[in-house]
Amino acid sequence: MTLPPAAPIIYLTLVGTGEPLLRMEKRLFCAAGGLGIRLEVEIRKDVEALGNSLQQSLAVLHDGKLIFNGLHRIEEVESWLKNLK
């Protein structure tokens, strides 16, 4: 799906490794695409470098704030993204 250049852009940081990271990344992009939102996602696999308690978890950050900790359902991601529009 190609989004128009005027579509809003949301910048996120996805922190984690392995299959959970890949699954959450896919959910983020699917939810955003369905809502007509473009995402710019920075992936951080060096969890320890963030210096917080996310060392064993998958996390999604927006503007440096924790939004999701762990793997969330696509409906939850869509709901959160709708509130940002």
Side-chain angles (χ1 to χ4, degrees), residues 32-68:
L35 295 171
I37 297 171
R38 294 185 316 173
L39 290 182
E40 289 287 331
V41 178
E42 175 188 6
I43 295 178
R44 299 285 307 260
K45 294 183 180 181
D46 57 336
V47 182
E48 313 80 41
L50 296 177
N52 56 30
S53 61
L54 303 176
Q55 294 181 7
Q56 298 286 326
S57 302
L58 172 69
V60 178
L61 306 169
H62 178 258
D63 289 335
K65 296 179 184 158
L66 180 65
I67 303 303
F68 297 113

Side-chain angles (χ1 to χ4, degrees), residues 73-85:
R73 296 177 44 211
I74 196 164
E75 294 84 5
E76 293 174 271
V77 175
E78 285 176 347
S79 177
W80 179 76
L81 288 170
K82 281 181 191 177
N83 289 328
L84 283 182
K85 281 177 84 175

